Amino acid sequence: RTHARTHATHIHTSTRSDHEDTHINNVQQLTPDLLGPLPGGGVSDVIGSPNNEGILMFKRAGLYYVMFGACCCFCGEGTGVEVYTAPKPLGPYSYRGQIARSPTGASIWRAQTGSVWFTGADWVLYGDRWQSAPDHIKAHDFSYWTPLVFTGDGAVQPIVWQDNVTIHY
């Protein structure tokens, strides 16, 4: 008899208390009850450069994806979305590109990464559009959803702003 063993992981941004510009991203293996780090468990290398947040992770077609953007603390201009992939949850991760900035560096979606989910037909990226509410109440800020488009090798195509999208279920 064989036993399948899975390992839950937690992806997080950590900071040092002495300097805020050290937001770093990595993946850490969790205990079976998901309540803490597994003693002696694995931790990935730092993913990307410091000063990033809004990190998310998902698995598609045998690849683990990590996405995040630059720290901007509820900024109205939005962040980029850097994409990294790995064959295993703890890496090693490879940089696959920036999908939310134009070649000039302007934000395409004026949002910050929130989550990715699979509808059964589409992989959808959700972003928080900080400072977008006409009444300037944070709880009224808009959201943006966009289907992700993948290439044959697993790269993610740059986001193309659309005022209206159809999400397939």
Side-chain angles (χ1 to χ4, degrees):
R1 172 169 135 157
T2 62
H3 296 277
R5 188 163 64 158
T6 61
H7 300 284
T9 57
H10 169 70
I11 188 161
H12 62 94
T13 299
S14 60
T15 62
R16 290 187 358 213
S17 61
D18 61 337
H19 198 273
E20 188 172 334
D21 288 342
T22 59
H23 286 75
I24 57 171
N25 302 311
N26 63 10
V27 179
Q28 185 168 27
Q29 193 173 354
L30 297 178
T31 57
D33 63 7
L34 308 178
L35 295 178
L38 182 68
V43 178
S44 73
D45 289 335
V46 171
I47 304 167
S49 60
N51 206 26
N52 291 294
E53 63 184 356
I55 192 168
L56 60 90
M57 181 182 192
F58 64 98
K59 183 181 180 185
R60 178 192 168 272
L63 282 177
Y64 291 87
Y65 288 78
V66 169
M67 297 180 177
F68 52 81
C71 292
C72 77
C73 195
F74 308 114
C75 63
E77 67 270 11
T79 68
V81 177
E82 293 185 21
V83 178
Y84 292 79
T85 61
K88 298 177 184 175
L90 297 179
Y93 281 86
S94 299
Y95 179 68
R96 299 299 295 267
Q98 169 59 255
I99 63 168
R101 291 216 177 272
S102 72
T104 63
S107 178
I108 294 170
W109 73 330
R110 299 183 59 83
Q112 183 175 30
T113 52
S115 61
V116 169
W117 75 93
F118 183 59
T119 66
D122 287 331
W123 288 90
V124 180
L125 174 64
Y126 161 83
D128 296 308
R129 298 198 58 222
W130 307 126
Q131 301 180 31
S132 61
D135 61 8
H136 305 291
I137 296 174
K138 184 168 177 5
H140 297 169
D141 283 342
F142 300 123
S143 300
Y144 187 70
W145 296 271
T146 186
L148 295 175
V149 178
F150 297 87
T151 64
D153 71 351
V156 182
Q157 293 290 321
I159 293 170
V160 175
W161 179 269
Q162 300 175 64
D163 290 334
N164 297 293
V165 296
T166 300
I167 297 172
H168 302 94
Y169 288 88

